Each structure stands twice: as structure tokens, then as C-alpha cells.
Amino acid sequence: MIHLTIDGESIAVEPGTTILEAARRLNVHIPTLCYHEDQAVKAVCRICVVEVEGQRLLPAACSTPVSEGMVVKTASPKVIKARKNIMELILARHPQDCLVCSKNGSCELQKIARDLNMNQPNRYELKPRDSRFDNSSPSLIREMSKCILCNRCVETCTEKQGVMVMAKENRGFETVIVPPYGKKLEDTSCVNCGQCIQVCPVGAISVRDNTDDVYEQIAAGKYMAIQIAPSVRITLGESLGYAPGTVTTGKIVHALRKIGFHKVFDSDFSADLTIMEEGTELLHRIQNGGPLPLITSCCPAWVKYCETYGHEQLEHLSTAKSPQQMFGAVIKTYFAQKEQIDPANICSVSVMPCTAKKFECKRSEFHDSGYQDVDISITVEELAKMIRTAGIDFDDLEDQEFDAPFGLGSGAGQIFGSTGGVMEAALRTVYEVLTGETLPRLEFDAVRGLEGIREASLTIKGQEIRVAIVHGLKNVEGILAQIKEGTSPYHFIEVMACEGGCIGGGGNAPKTMKKVRERQRAIYEEDKKLPLRKSHENPYVQLLYQEYLGEPLSEKSHKLLHTHYHSRRDLLR
């Protein structure tokens, strides 16, 4: 162990520990901007400088390992003066429009400026960075003038997602982080996953806000129907100040009714519907020699990635739409007929943890109801803003139930929100449909966890079924290569673009993997509490087939609940 002193307190830590890590163990706060606990150390912002006895220069705490007998001061006059000077230099290149910035109140730069008591005029001339503004994407907004060159987005896009649409351009004072060749985001291979938003400490990358679109539809007198994704009940609380993993389902339903929605539905229902279609598709391919492995298509960021980087493997993608899009199609057909509402007067809205859902609902393929199936998709963070804007005291809300007929979802639908959840939900149904037997234990522990790639196998009626679960798009490269070479050993593969699955989606409050673990724990606890835990046993799903769809993979279900995808290889040119 290495022994050192930080601000007068002694501590012993393992070799290789940095000053920042040691200080955090003592609950000593050192400000950081480029540092992120789930990324590599960069040491480019220098706001974490500290004073080490015997050293003339101030080292960066995030990158400096401790040494035996080291004496560290984290808030000496010399350190504070240096940090204030660094902050002045950063602010001299940053716009001063904090009040109307998307990150106002949650901006890391703003917080550090407040903590450092930056209450004097800046000594340096204000000259914001490159002023280019890019709102071409349906999911993301880029304001380059707000970029502080922390490099977090570059690492996420390149190392975690393997998409590589962000990189440094120019040098020195003129350095900017941009897509290649001056392209706008919509013209790149960006998959709209929003993981760059999750790590951006400022407002340089933000979610495209569609809340005004919702208000306009309410004001226009539209019949407002909204669906809530499985993970939203787990992650919305964080956006409103609750601890990670807090479940707020009933309060969300109540808040949405107060905002002005006529019907509040549960996407757990359409997750169950997805399992019926996707599970039947898997059985059909296994029994009839269809293209294997079958790969899930619930995640629109993954689908676009496959269209771009894995376009030769598109036949392996399930044709089943995502739960969001299935729900949209059902609302504007079956539900509209049942309630005798003109579908043209229905505004179908979704609350999703995902920024790519904004892209998905605008795709030209999703008009099978005769209208755009889902009109508006908002993120968890956007809903939190709407709740605050409406002046709703979320703590004081009484729990309310979802509306029938789409208010009942199973535990299988609930676990869709976590990596491995779609696979586990499918296996629960596929096993019982194939064997005609009841599963002795519903939990498939082998598909759970947070490893980037997990694999499992089970034997059903004498046949071994091999499956894989992938999250984080960089991890799918080898899987696609295996399929291309014809060496893939799997029958079924689940892919989620974001680490952790939907609970780690770009539309949630900023995450760390520590928070994702708490969210995942809550997902599985909710599954255990639900009286219904298998998709094929959902009585309202069964009723939908009896009254309208017929059976999974029927002609009508194919028209409304399935789609096709196309190559986007040209985006790489």
C-alpha cells in the first residue's frame, strides 16, 4: 500500500491509484471536466490541478499516481488561483448564454464556475469557438461554440460505439471537434444513439427538444395518446432528483394526465407483442431453414448501424418492428376503430430513454396505419422538463394506473429496458411454446449482467439453442464478421447500442456504469413483483390477436407489425 496525506488526512491506497481517486475515497472534492469515471484519463482541461509538496508545477490529479509519503493540498491559495485562471481561459472561449442553454442547471462547467466563485470580470477577451450550429439530425443538436475540447464525445463515439463521426480538426487556438469533411450529422454514419450527449459536460451536444411539438398538438385539440417505455419508470426519477433505481410508475401516469394526455399506455404491452412476433419469427426460421442467426431489431440505433456497417447481413435482422412502432400502428388502427376515433385526429406520443427513437418514428417505413404511426417521441429528460414547466409537485402525486386496454404488461416486457432483457423475454416464451411445458424457473441468469458480450445455450426438446447478447456497438463488430464469414455459432442475438441497454440510453439523465447497475437491479426487482411475467400469457395481447390480428406472422400482423430495412452504405463515402 502507498501512504500519503491529502489536506492533512492520512490514507493508504493501492499502487497505481491517482491523486483524484485517493481524494474521492476521503470525500475530498476536486473539480473535473475532461475526466469521466467510465473513460480513459485525458488530462486536457487541467481544472483538477493540485499542489504536491516538493514539486514546483501543479500536477493534474486525474492523471498523477500517488507515491509514498506524498503530501497533497487540493485547495491551497496557489491551487485556487491556478484553477480560476484556467476557468477564465475556458470561459473566454465559451458563450455566456447560460440562461437559455439546454444544460442550464446541469452543466458541469457552470457548477465549477459557481464553486470557484467566479464573480469578477474575465481578464481575457471573449472569443467563442467556431460558431457553426447543426440541427440537421432528428435526434441531436450540435453547438460547436460551446465545446470545451474535453474529448469525451470522441472517445464515446470511437471507442465505445465504433461509429467515429467525431474527431479533432485544426490545431491550437483553432481546434474544433467536428464530423469529417465539414459534413452535417444527418449526412454522416451517426446512429443517433445520444451517447455523446451522455458524456458532454456542457451544452455542445444536446437532445433535439420536441416538447413544444407536444404542446402544439394539445392546444390544437388532438386526441393525445402516450406510451411509456419499460425503462422510463426506472430512470425518470433521477431526472427529477431521486436516487438511481427509484421506480415512479404511478406518479408518471398521473403527471402525464395533468399535462394533458387523454390516454396513458404502457409500452410493456407492446414489448409483449414484440416477443410474440419476434419469437414466432425465430421459431419459423429454425423450423424452416430461414437465415440464422436472427438478430433483434428493437434498437433503432443498432438498426441504423447494421444498415450502414453491416448492410450485407440485413437479412439476419428481425423484420419485427420495435415496441414503439408496433404500439403506434396499433393505436391508429385497432384502438382508433375500437374507440371510434378518427386516426387523423390522434397524436401518438412516446416517452423513451432513447434519442434514436426520434429518428425511428420519422422513418418512411413506419406509416403502415395509413398515417405516421408515432408522431412525436420525447426523451426522459424532456418529460422531466415538462413536469417542471407544468409546476407539478411530483413528490405529492398519488399513484395512478395505466389506461386499458394497453395498460397491462408482463415482467418479460418490463425487462426489455436492460441489456439481455429482450433475449430473456423471448426465451421464456419460446421455451414454453416449443415444449408445451411450464418453465420451472423464469430467470435466465446467463443472459444477465453488464459484460459487453455474453453468450448462453439451452436445450429445448433435444435441440441446443445458442444465443448471444451484445451492448455497446463496438462489441458487435466481431459478431458481424462471424456472420459474414458463415462461422456464427448462434441462433439468436440481441444487440443494444447503449451500454446497459435502454437504461443507459442517451435520453436519460447522464449515467455512469455505477448508476446503470442500480437501474438494472430495479428492472429485475420490478419483474419479480409483477403478477404476469410471460409475454404469451398477457390476456390483452391474446385479445388483440383474437379480435384483430389473427395470429403472429399473419398477413395483418405482417402489414402492421413488421417492416424491412435497406443499406445505408453510402453514408460512409
Side-chain angles (χ1 to χ4, degrees), residues 346-358:
I346 295 176
C347 178
S348 175
V349 182
S350 68
V351 185
M352 294 285 147
C354 173
T355 52
K357 289 294 181 183
K358 294 174 180 286

Side-chain angles (χ1 to χ4, degrees), residues 79-354:
V79 167
I80 292 173
K81 182 179 180 181
R83 286 181 187 160
K84 282 192 168 186
N85 184 55
I86 291 166
M87 181 58 71
E88 281 187 288
L89 289 166
I90 294 173
L91 292 178
R93 300 234 56 195
H94 196 79
Q96 311 291 297
D97 59 348
C98 294
L99 290 178
V100 293
C101 177
S102 61
K103 276 293 186 78
N104 184 25
S106 61
C107 172
E108 295 178 39
L109 182 66
Q110 189 181 53
K111 181 183 184 302
I112 294 173
R114 182 177 66 245
D115 291 347
L116 286 175
N117 194 26
M118 302 293 294
N119 58 3
Q120 299 294 324
N122 199 327
R123 294 172 297 162
Y124 303 107
E125 177 187 359
L126 177 63
K127 189 177 180 182
R129 205 170 297 280
D130 192 309
S131 61
R132 279 177 283 179
F133 178 86
D134 183 0
N135 64 351
S136 62
S137 165
S139 303
L140 317 178
I141 300 289
R142 292 202 69 238
E143 297 184 66
M144 290 164 54
S145 61
K146 295 179 179 179
C147 180
I148 59 170
L149 302 180
C150 68
N151 241 33
R152 287 187 189 178
C153 64
V154 175
E155 177 171 337
T156 292
C157 195
T158 302
E159 301 300 325
K160 299 286 187 181
Q161 300 299 74
V163 179
M164 299 180 286
V165 299
M166 299 286 189
K168 282 187 175 181
E169 182 180 278
N170 302 328
R171 299 176 120 191
F173 193 75
E174 302 301 326
T175 302
V176 290
I177 293 177
V178 292
Y181 311 115
K183 288 184 177 181
K184 291 185 176 295
L185 276 178
E186 70 170 349
D187 299 322
T188 71
S189 57
C190 172
V191 297
N192 305 291
C193 67
Q195 291 303 289
C196 52
I197 298 172
Q198 285 283 298
V199 297
C200 181
V202 291
I205 312 175
S206 59
V207 176
R208 189 182 191 97
D209 193 303
N210 292 112
T211 55
D212 283 344
D213 299 329
V214 176
Y215 294 134
E216 287 174 7
Q217 295 298 303
I218 294 173
K222 289 292 186 73
Y223 189 93
M224 305 298 294
I226 191 165
Q227 55 170 301
I228 303 173
S231 64
V232 172
R233 69 212 69 199
I234 307 296
T235 59
L236 179 74
E238 275 181 67
S239 297
L240 294 171
Y242 291 74
T246 303
V247 182
T248 58
T249 314
K251 291 181 183 293
I252 297 173
V253 175
H254 195 167
L256 288 168
R257 291 199 177 109
K258 290 176 75 71
I259 287 170
F261 288 94
H262 298 92
K263 294 289 184 181
V264 183
F265 295 134
D266 188 356
S267 295
D268 282 9
F269 171 89
S270 55
D272 287 336
L273 187 59
T274 301
I275 288 301
M276 295 302 293
E277 294 295 326
E278 199 167 64
T280 303
E281 183 182 8
L282 174 63
L283 291 174
H284 183 79
R285 292 196 185 196
I286 290 174
Q287 295 167 349
N288 296 283
L292 290 172
L294 176 69
I295 313 178
T296 60
S297 54
C298 300
C299 173
W302 148 243
V303 168
K304 188 181 179 188
Y305 180 95
C306 189
E307 290 177 317
T308 308
Y309 294 91
H311 61 99
E312 295 174 332
Q313 286 79 47
L314 286 177
E315 66 173 356
H316 293 275
L317 270 184
S318 169
T319 61
K321 294 179 181 177
S322 72
Q324 170 181 275
Q325 295 307 132
M326 284 195 183
F327 220 142
V330 168
I331 285 173
K332 292 194 177 180
T333 53
Y334 173 73
F335 174 76
Q337 291 176 25
K338 204 172 182 67
E339 299 293 316
Q340 297 184 327
I341 304 170
D342 182 356
N345 195 44
I346 295 176
C347 178
S348 175
V349 182
S350 68
V351 185
M352 294 285 147
C354 173

Side-chain angles (χ1 to χ4, degrees), residues 38 46 216 241 328 334 570:
D38 297 325
R46 314 304 292 181
E216 287 174 7
Y334 173 73
D570 58 318

